Amino acid sequence: MAILTKGPRGTQDVLPGESYKWQYLEKKMMETVRLYGFREIRIPTFEHTELFNRSVGDTTDVVQKEMYTFEDKGGRSVTLRPEGTAGTLRSAIEHGLLGDALPVKAAYLLSAFRYEKPQAGRLREFHQFGVEMLGSSAASADAQVISMVFHLFRELGIKARLELNSIGCPTCRAKYQEALRNHFAARREELCDTCKDRLERNPMRLLDCKSPVCQEIGKGAPMMLDFLCEECTAHFEQVKARLDAMEVPYTINPRIVRGLDYYTKTVFEFVSDKIGAQSTICAGGRYDGLIEQLGGPALPGIGFAMGLERILMTMEACRAPFPQEKGCVVYIGSMGDAAGIKAAQLTQQLRKEGFWAECDTMDRSVKAQMKFANKLGARFSLILGDSELEQGAAKLKRMADGSVTEIRLDAAPSEPDSLVKAVYDACLEEVATALKTE
């Protein structure tokens, strides 16, 4: 039975007491990017495996070690999405979005899957927020996307620094890769097995290796910024100029490389020192050849992604303010079947008006019902029994101070509902009192 009562390794449950934080974060993310013209796209949880082999790159750890790939019942190879870019671009190509007004601006909130060692902020099933801006090769697009992250983090109360680099285009990167090969080849036998393979296939990935030996060898490696062609240099200078104009601070980090093969020119990371070694909380960049590589038109693109688990960790570490979860407004207790029916009727009326209202569904005693109301944090309570039903009236009690308001239970159909009006008035009074004490 143990396997039935424990989730798979590398997954986590978001419990009812914590889900409001996720809802707040997701809402804030979508509201912010909407100001920049991005709209939500929803893509499948799995795709044909070839999509990720061609987009993510077969030299990456994601493809080589981390993808959840299996054959379906038709013998087709499918993969649970390890990231959101490939599926978004596939959808844009398939549905002709790239033939409409450009740029296409898409944002997504999704779950993604990678088989790797679980640790704080890094799970096998994780949640990702990202955007893709398709169709513009201008440096202004890069700056807009980057400034949007800066704006979002400011709204969320997250303190993070922006690190910026350019990894050039295929033309100038070829010369750089050759220089890297020459640098690492002299100490090839000291490299880890993974980097020995990368040395020929994708030497830039050696700079991203976590092995202490490979990191030490890489300290004296040449820098991509010294190999940029004239066009890539001009593009990078324009990105920096626009960020300066928008008052978005940044530092140049020439060692930023992307773990995915499709990136070109601008790459960036937002880094926080609040969550230990896993300090990158957002990563992104430009991918000008990827759409064509996937069978679409020769259009450029830029985007970013961030893990929600890591963002929530950072918010808590930065003591960013979360709004308080709204509690139950009214609990209606009852004694007996007739009172229970009336309680259900009144509760439903309150819910129709937008109030969180509760009544007994456990056949508890009145004392137990009031204990439950306290656990819910109910602001008001109402007890119905035979006498209340006979008199057609009851007392609405404010739980904080015990003050009561008498309400009618037998209002005529043409009259405003007495309970709903009383709750409205009491809530408005609470708001007014709170404002006076600020």
Side-chain angles (χ1 to χ4, degrees):
M1 285 295 293
I3 195 170
L4 300 180
T5 56
K6 188 174 178 61
R9 187 168 183 240
T11 64
Q12 72 172 10
D13 301 308
V14 179
L15 302 178
E18 292 291 311
S19 60
Y20 77 96
K21 294 180 180 179
W22 288 73
Q23 293 162 5
Y24 165 74
L25 176 59
E26 292 166 1
K27 183 172 182 286
K28 203 73 173 176
M29 286 172 159
M30 282 300 181
E31 285 178 347
T32 301
V33 300
R34 193 70 180 91
L35 299 176
Y36 292 75
F38 287 79
R39 295 180 294 171
E40 185 180 12
I41 187 170
R42 301 191 182 192
I43 56 175
T45 304
F46 60 92
E47 301 272 1
H48 296 295
T49 302
E50 180 60 19
L51 176 68
F52 300 117
N53 288 340
R54 293 182 65 181
S55 62
V56 175
D58 58 8
T59 66
T60 63
D61 286 348
V62 174
V63 169
Q64 290 184 344
K65 303 176 183 179
E66 298 172 2
M67 292 202 313
Y68 280 90
T69 298
F70 55 93
E71 281 194 1
D72 67 9
K73 292 185 178 181
R76 295 171 289 262
S77 180
V78 295
T79 295
L80 299 179
R81 61 190 176 208
E83 49 88 50
T85 299
T88 300
L89 268 56
R90 188 270 311 148
S91 179
I93 295 168
E94 179 179 350
H95 298 288
L97 301 184
L98 301 172
D100 205 345
L102 297 177
V104 173
K105 296 181 175 182
Y108 50 79
L109 281 160
L110 48 76
S111 56
F113 307 85
R114 296 186 188 182
Y115 189 87
E116 54 186 341
K117 184 179 179 180
Q119 52 189 293
R122 189 184 293 274
L123 298 169
R124 290 177 176 173
E125 180 189 22
F126 58 98
H127 299 83
Q128 203 173 70
F129 171 69
V131 309
E132 314 297 342
M133 184 173 178
L134 312 176
S136 174
S137 61
S140 56
D142 305 34
Q144 183 178 113
V145 167
I146 294 169
S147 66
M148 187 166 63
V149 184
F150 180 76
H151 181 172
L152 172 62
F153 285 170
R154 187 175 54 190
E155 289 291 309
L156 294 174
I158 289 177
K159 296 175 182 177
R161 67 182 181 275
L162 167 61
E163 296 186 353
L164 196 63
N165 191 25
S166 174
I167 56 173
C169 64
T171 301
C172 56
R173 197 157 61 225
K175 296 177 182 178
Y176 176 58
Q177 288 175 330
E178 187 58 34
L180 277 181
R181 286 192 187 96
N182 293 335
H183 173 82
F184 283 99
R187 300 177 64 178
R188 185 181 188 282
E189 295 308 313
E190 299 175 55
L191 299 174
C192 68
D193 290 341
T194 301
C195 283
K196 286 176 183 176
D197 180 59
R198 289 171 174 167
L199 185 58
E200 294 304 321
R201 303 176 69 186
N202 188 354
M204 287 183 68
R205 294 285 288 114
L206 275 71
L207 299 176
D208 201 32
C209 182
K210 301 301 184 286
S211 162
V213 175
C214 296
Q215 288 181 347
E216 183 63 30
I217 298 172
K219 283 183 177 179
M223 300 297 174
M224 182 69 234
L225 292 177
D226 296 328
F227 289 79
L228 293 182
C229 64
E230 187 175 336
E231 178 192 347
C232 290
T233 299
H235 183 94
F236 195 46
E237 291 302 317
Q238 276 292 310
V239 172
K240 292 188 290 182
R242 289 175 181 275
L243 291 176
D244 290 338
M246 290 187 284
E247 299 183 335
V248 177
Y250 59 86
T251 57
I252 303 300
N253 181 353
R255 292 195 170 274
I256 294 179
V257 294
R258 292 269 63 88
L260 308 179
D261 284 352
Y262 49 64
Y263 285 102
T264 58
K265 292 184 179 176
T266 307
V267 291
F268 63 91
E269 294 180 354
F270 281 82
V271 177
S272 171
D273 59 4
K274 300 291 187 179
I275 55 172
Q278 300 298 331
S279 57
T280 299
I281 57 174
C282 174
R286 177 167 285 284
Y287 45 83
D288 287 351
L290 181 57
I291 297 173
E292 187 176 14
Q293 184 178 319
L294 296 181
L299 289 174
I302 183 171
F304 67 76
M306 60 183 76
L308 269 63
E309 289 86 355
R310 201 171 294 182
I311 294 297
L312 286 166
M313 284 174 55
T314 308
M315 290 178 68
E316 289 170 355
C318 292
R319 302 184 183 278
F322 284 101
Q324 289 296 312
E325 184 179 24
K326 294 180 180 178
C328 176
V329 177
V330 184
Y331 186 91
I332 303 179
S334 59
M335 296 177 286
D337 289 342
I341 291 171
K342 186 64 176 178
Q345 179 192 38
L346 294 173
T347 301
Q348 193 67 4
Q349 288 175 356
L350 287 165
R351 288 168 176 164
K352 287 179 180 178
E353 293 297 320
F355 294 105
W356 176 3
E358 295 280 358
C359 61
D360 182 47
T361 57
M362 298 292 292
D363 293 331
R364 293 183 170 106
S365 66
V366 171
K367 183 178 180 180
Q369 288 180 56
M370 289 301 98
K371 283 185 177 180
F372 183 62
N374 279 323
K375 284 188 176 181
L376 290 175
R379 290 156 63 185
F380 303 95
S381 65
L382 187 75
I383 301 295
L384 299 180
D386 291 341
S387 61
E388 284 78 13
L389 295 180
E390 289 172 4
Q391 296 169 13
K395 293 180 178 179
L396 181 69
K397 177 181 176 182
R398 190 196 304 269
M399 301 288 275
D401 58 14
S403 60
V404 297
T405 302
E406 187 164 297
I407 63 155
R408 292 178 54 196
L409 301 176
D410 57 352
S414 59
E415 296 178 9
D417 182 88
S418 181
L419 175 58
V420 171
K421 184 178 185 304
V423 171
Y424 263 119
D425 291 344
C427 288
L428 287 173
E429 182 185 335
E430 279 195 352
V431 171
T433 302
L435 289 173
K436 288 177 183 176
T437 59
E438 285 183 356

